[in-house]
């Protein structure tokens, strides 16, 4: 982990990804995106996560172009992630990725992920899914080689999907982004990522907001004088797992950034990890062949 004011982890591409990023899921109005990005930049965020299916890539790109100069920052100071939509899986992957590049209009994308192992409109058991994933990955490898996508990775992949990819890829994924919180510790996936040198990144660190009221989380937060959200985010980053809390509320965006000036004790880390029960608040890709 770097020791700067923006802690980060090193990717297998040789570049750093910030441990804290702003998730933009459900930020659909241009003014909401602008306000959230503004608040995030002030609070020290330098990573922003979007996706084709969020329908806000153009708004995010525009907000950054307007706001970076305001804070004396350049394009190179921020890390932008976006994702290939499931409808573009397979033969439409190039079209989908180039559309993301065009929408963001920031010259390049720091990290581009295959959002989902399946294909929109196909059953999860459809035997064409593996071929479509492979075709998408080959396309991302080409765009990576051209410098348009500085790093490539996947999201919502299971251990089986990861092993399949590692056996066939020319360029290994830099990141796997999945749901991760104390009730879903993802032990097997984390071991796979460690084995292959892939950065394990978290989304839904707060369990869609449900975990901030969990008695154990509340008690740990009370004991260390922090909010439950800060405790949940700290639990992840203390394990060198990048997080992407999403919010449109400037005050909450600011509070979510205050996770690098305290540490959880080993016993608190263990208490939180003991909540692991395999519960998923979001999508489950385990049935996608």
């Amino acid at each position: 982990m770097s020791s700067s004011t923006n802690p980060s982890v090193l990717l297998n591409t040789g570049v750093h990804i910030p441990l804290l990023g702003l998730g933009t899921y459900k930020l659909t109005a241009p003014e909401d995106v602008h306000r959230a990005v503004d608040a995030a930049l002030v609070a020290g965020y330098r990573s922003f996560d979007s996706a084709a299916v969020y329908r806000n890539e153009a708004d995010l790109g525009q907000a950054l172009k307007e706001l970076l100069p305001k804070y004396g920052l350049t394009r190179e100071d921020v890390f932008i992630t976006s994702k290939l939509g499931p409808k573009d899986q397979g033969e439409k992957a190039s079209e989908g990725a180039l559309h993301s590049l065009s929408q963001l209009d920031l010259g390049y994308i720091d990290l581009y992920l295959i959002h989902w192992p399946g294909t929109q409109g196909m059953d999860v058991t459809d035997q064409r899914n593996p071929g479509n994933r492979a075709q998408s990955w080959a396309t991302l490898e080409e765009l990576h080689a051209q410098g348009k996508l500085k790093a490539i990775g996947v999201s919502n992949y299971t251990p089986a999907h990861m092993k399949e990819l590692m056996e066939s890829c020319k360029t290994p994924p830099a990141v796997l982004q999945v749901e991760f919180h104390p009730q879903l510790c993802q032990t097997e996936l984390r071991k796979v990522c460690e084995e292959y040198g892939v950065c394990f990144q978290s989304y839904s660190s707060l369990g869609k907001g449900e975990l901030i009221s969990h008695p154990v989380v509340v008690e740990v937060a009370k004991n260390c004088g922090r909010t439950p959200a800060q405790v949940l985010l700290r639990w992840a980053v203390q394990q060198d797992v990048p997080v992407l809390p999403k919010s449109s509320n400037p005050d909450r965006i600011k509070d979510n950034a205050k996770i690098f000036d305290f540490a959880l004790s080993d016993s608190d880390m263990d208490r939180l990890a003991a909540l692991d029960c395999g519960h998923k608040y979001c999508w489950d890709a385990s049935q996608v062949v």
Side-chain angles (χ1 to χ4, degrees), residues 261-289:
D261 60 348
F262 78 103
L264 294 171
S265 66
D266 290 344
S267 60
D268 282 340
M269 291 291 288
D270 292 343
R271 281 188 74 193
L272 292 167
L275 300 178
D276 187 21
C277 58
H279 184 74
K280 294 178 180 176
Y281 290 92
C282 305
W283 306 275
D284 184 354
S286 61
Q287 302 304 310
V288 180
V289 297

Side-chain angles (χ1 to χ4, degrees), residues 35-56:
R35 183 172 59 249
V37 171
D38 197 8
L41 289 171
V42 171
Y45 291 70
R46 295 296 180 264
S47 173
F48 298 87
D49 180 271
S50 184
V53 298
Y54 298 172
R55 300 181 183 275
N56 62 14

Side-chain angles (χ1 to χ4, degrees), residues 26-205:
K26 290 191 174 178
L27 285 179
T28 51
E31 57 272 21
D32 289 343
V33 174
H34 191 280
R35 183 172 59 249
V37 171
D38 197 8
L41 289 171
V42 171
Y45 291 70
R46 295 296 180 264
S47 173
F48 298 87
D49 180 271
S50 184
V53 298
Y54 298 172
R55 300 181 183 275
N56 62 14
E57 290 170 313
D59 294 330
L60 174 60
Q62 185 61 35
L64 286 166
K65 280 186 279 188
E66 292 173 5
L67 291 166
L68 289 175
K70 176 180 175 182
Y71 299 109
L73 299 170
T74 66
R75 167 66 182 92
E76 288 69 34
D77 292 319
V78 291
F79 190 99
I80 309 302
T81 300
S82 199
K83 310 177 196 77
L84 181 75
K87 72 177 181 62
D88 294 322
Q89 187 84 279
E91 61 184 23
K92 294 182 181 177
S94 179
E95 180 184 338
L98 291 174
H99 185 67
S100 287
L101 277 158
S102 174
Q103 288 287 291
L104 284 159
D105 195 26
L106 294 171
Y108 60 91
I109 297 175
D110 295 275
L111 174 64
Y112 198 68
L113 310 175
I114 295 178
H115 204 159
W116 181 253
T119 309
Q120 186 172 314
M122 284 188 190
D123 192 271
V124 292
T125 61
D126 196 304
Q127 296 301 315
R128 290 172 291 177
N129 280 317
N132 284 350
R133 279 196 297 276
Q135 188 172 3
S136 293
W137 190 255
T139 297
L140 267 55
E141 287 179 325
E142 290 174 11
L143 293 171
H144 171 62
Q146 294 168 16
K148 294 175 180 176
L149 310 176
K150 298 298 184 181
I152 53 178
V154 292
S155 181
N156 297 301
Y157 272 37
T158 65
H161 297 140
M162 287 297 291
K163 290 170 184 174
E164 170 197 83
L165 174 59
M166 295 304 300
E167 288 171 1
S168 61
C169 66
K170 295 176 183 175
T171 304
V175 170
L176 167 64
Q177 185 188 113
V178 293
E179 181 181 352
F180 175 71
H181 44 70
Q183 287 188 330
L184 188 65
C185 290
Q186 300 277 25
T187 305
E188 184 182 3
L189 260 179
R190 292 193 68 195
K191 284 180 181 175
V192 169
C193 286
E194 186 176 355
E195 178 186 347
Y196 292 135
V198 177
C199 172
F200 179 93
Q201 184 180 39
S202 165
Y203 72 72
S204 200
S205 301

